[in-house]
Structures are given as structure tokens and as C-alpha cells.
Amino acid sequence: MEKVKIENVELILSHPDNLNIKWTGQNDLVRQIMAAWHTISEDDIPLNPRIVGKPGAGKTTLSYYAAKELLKREVYIFQCTVDTRPEDLIIIPVISENNQISYHASSLVSAMIKGGVAILDEGNRMSEKTWASLAPLLDDRRYVESVIAGIKIKAHPDFRIIVTMNDDASTFELPEYIHSRLQPTIELPFPDVKEEYDILKMNIPFADEEILKITVGFLQKSHINKSSFSVRDGINMARYAMKLYKSETTKDKETAFLLALKSVLGEEGIKILSTNNDEKY
Ligand SMILES: Nc1ncnc2c1ncn2[C@@H]1O[C@H](COP(=O)(O)OP(=O)(O)OP(=O)(O)O)[C@@H](O)[C@H]1O
Ligand SMILES: [Mg+2]
């Protein structure tokens, strides 16, 4: 456990996240993130990009890839939920065995101290009250205050932050002063046929060509029909179809795909499959 002292208070830091994440395609989006993080001179500050897209579109993967593989920094992911309180984001007191209080820095604060990258994942699930505690971090002040530990923590100059947000309805409307601090907004669209094929191939390299192609065809059809099935659904379906086929549960690949589609996406998936607009792609 790494410890640091700030204003005489000892903090226990969180570990960075080491994930085996790969990214293919949509390089313009990666470049936009890197540009937002770039600082031009000593008196410049980095921006705090916000990645917006449908569930399962690749927002977390894109953020992690940019931070870890391109910026080459340690990455600290903070999973935001409706129950996240301001102190969860900053410093949490923990009572240890001998009744001593120890202070645990959140992954966000650990990234701030170490000069890593914080991904605030699914930031739109967090309430305005919790977001308010980050206002000074997200402008040129670049610090947070911990009421619990009674200290102010300044971000390391190398610290960067990125926020992912779903554009579904089950979320908080954030106030303007938070929106204006989370810029630029980078929209993650659904990938095109070739990109979608490459993504599936990268994530399930052992998958059979025919199953991959049927899955990509289905996903593209679903995008045309404005359905929200994502590449993650595609990966799950193709993976399950492969298992059904290889374990000889089904006799051919097409049947394996159909069964996987039904099990993973249910009736809505079958409905998309039976729409008749393949000619559009
Ligand atoms: N361009 C890409 N290259 C490689 N893999 C990708 C790409 N886009 C998506 N994926 C894969 O798709 C899956 C879903 O991605 P991810 O979890 O990043 O989506 P998300 O938008 O963060 O979803 P959620 O809204 O549920 O948090 C992952 O398995 C990821 O590896
Ligand atoms: Mg995500």
C-alpha cells in the first residue's frame, strides 16, 4: 500500500487499474482526446473531455486506451453511481483494528497525486451534489478539498481526467456549470462495417469468419434501425454462437447464431433480424 503525506495527513493511495484493453479504428476520436489533454505552454491547462455514446459503444475502452497506450500514464477508473457521495470521490475515513482512523484516497485523488489519468466512468449517474465537489478540480484551480481529512489536494501537473457518459435516459441532468467544465464533448458513434468487423475480430480472435460476418451484418442492420444494440452485444452473441457451435449444441453456424441472438438479445433482436432493409448498407 502506497502512502503519502499531505498537510501532515497520511493518505493511503488506491492502485491504478491494469486492464488488457485494445482499440481499433476511429483514430480521429483518439486524436481529439489527446489534443484536449495537450498543454501548449506552462500557463495552459488541459481540458477535461467527455465521451458520450450509447451503452456498450466503447467509451470506457476508448478512454483507457488513450490514457494508457498513447499518453502512457497509469490509469485510475472511478465507477460513478447514483449513490456516490462527495467524500467517496475524494477521501474516505476507515476505522482500523486499533480504533485508529486511516484515510483512503479515492482512485480519482490517487490519480491527482501520482500524475495519472482518472476515468470517471458513467459520470452522468452521479448527482449534482457530488459533482459540485469537483468544480475546483475541473477549472484552472485544479484542486479538491476533503472536508473529512481537512486538507486541500492539488493535482499534479501531469494529471488528466476524462469522463464517460451514456446518452440513455436513466441519468441525471447535469447543471450548466458542470457541463461547461467537461469539454470538449466527443461523441462516439456506432462503427462502420469494417470497423465493427475489426472490433469483433480483435475481441474474439478465435471466432469463425462466418459467425463474425453474420454478427456484423446484424449489428449494422440494428444501427440502421436506430436500435441501441452495441458492439458489446455483438461480442457476446458471436462468443456464445461459437461456444454453441464448438460444443456441438447446434449443428451449423447459422443455427448457432440464431440461438445466440435469441438468448442474448431476446425478442427485440429477432425483430431487427426480420426487418427487410439490408440494401441500405
Ligand atoms: N474500437 C474498439 N476497439 C476494440 N474493442 C472495442 C472497440 N469498441 C468497443 N470495443 C469493445 O466493446 C466492448 C464494450 O466497450 P466498453 O465497455 O468500452 O463500452 P462502454 O461504452 O463503456 O459501455 P457502457 O456504457 O456499458 O459502460 C468491450 O469489450 C470493448 O473491448
Ligand atoms: Mg463503460
Side-chain angles (χ1 to χ4, degrees), residues 156-185:
H156 187 288
D158 288 343
F159 169 72
R160 299 289 184 271
I161 189 167
I162 186 162
V163 179
T164 77
M165 292 192 174
N166 276 339
D167 59 3
D168 60 7
S170 60
T171 53
F172 285 106
E173 259 310 313
L174 292 182
E176 193 46 42
Y177 77 96
I178 294 297
H179 271 298
S180 64
R181 284 171 165 84
L182 297 176
Q183 297 296 351
T185 301

Side-chain angles (χ1 to χ4, degrees), residues 22-24 26 54-62 122 166 199 202-203 231-232 235:
K22 301 183 202 88
W23 179 260
T24 173
Q26 289 169 305
K54 296 266 184 271
K59 299 179 296 296
T60 309
T61 309
L62 170 62
E122 313 216 13
N166 276 339
I199 296 171
M202 182 175 253
N203 282 277
V231 66
R232 181 190 289 131
I235 293 170

Side-chain angles (χ1 to χ4, degrees), residues 206-226:
F206 49 84
D208 177 271
E209 276 305 301
E210 192 182 334
I211 287 183
L212 285 183
K213 284 192 174 143
I214 305 176
T215 309
V216 171
F218 171 81
L219 286 175
Q220 292 290 317
K221 195 168 191 169
S222 133
H223 306 332
I224 289 170
N225 283 285
K226 306 264 179 282

